[in-house]
Amino acid sequence: YSGLTAAVQAGATLKGNATYLLYVDGTNAGQAAAGGGTFTNAGTIAPGNSIGTITITGNLTNTGTLAMEFNSSGQTDKLNVSGVFNHNTGAGATVTVTPDAGYYTGTMVIPFASMFSGGAGSTLPSTIDSLVAPSSPTLSMTMSVLGS
């Protein structure tokens, strides 16, 4: 999608690997600089088809769910925003993290902070609201604050 605004409505899901270019005045790439438009999520954004990346060239206001995954190799989904990334927890924004099926060994730290990036003035997600039970017989999980 390219243009001035884009939205994921409540009940809808955006998933896969893609880049969305949001232009300041809604014109095409040859006529305006990308990055000033706004992407709004009131539904679910789920990067990848398993592990993957969604990049938004513009701003993101999230009041919905960010459904993120990690795998047994330590790779994670990523949501990259070039402009302001506003994760609005006061309006119901949440983060759900799910492990992919796989063979897990030893101890693993999920690099949560690297799942999200945003430009100056961003309010990035800072907590996992829901950790989905593993579908792997070799994985058991415990949530703790790093350094605890």
Side-chain angles (χ1 to χ4, degrees):
Y1 176 86
S2 63
L4 183 58
T5 61
V8 178
Q9 301 297 326
T13 300
L14 174 69
K15 62 183 181 177
N17 295 292
T19 297
Y20 297 88
L21 304 173
L22 303 172
Y23 295 96
V24 176
D25 62 359
T27 57
N28 67 39
Q31 298 172 325
T38 298
F39 197 106
T40 302
N41 177 45
T44 300
I45 294 178
N49 294 314
S50 187
I51 301 302
T53 301
I54 289 179
T55 300
I56 296 172
T57 303
N59 304 309
L60 170 65
T61 297
N62 181 50
T63 59
T65 298
L66 304 177
M68 310 300 283
E69 296 174 310
F70 67 93
N71 66 19
S72 59
S73 298
Q75 298 169 312
T76 67
D77 285 338
K78 299 203 181 303
L79 178 56
N80 301 318
V81 179
S82 69
V84 176
F85 184 154
N86 180 17
H87 183 70
N88 193 342
T89 54
T94 60
V95 176
T96 298
V97 176
T98 305
D100 278 352
Y103 185 78
Y104 291 81
T105 60
T107 301
M108 174 185 292
V109 175
I110 301 168
F112 179 73
S114 68
M115 289 181 174
F116 309 101
S117 67
S122 292
T123 305
L124 298 175
S126 59
T127 60
I128 296 172
D129 299 291
S130 176
L131 189 60
V132 176
S135 59
S136 171
T138 61
L139 176 64
S140 62
M141 297 187 302
T142 304
M143 283 179 50
S144 63
V145 176
L146 193 60
S148 296

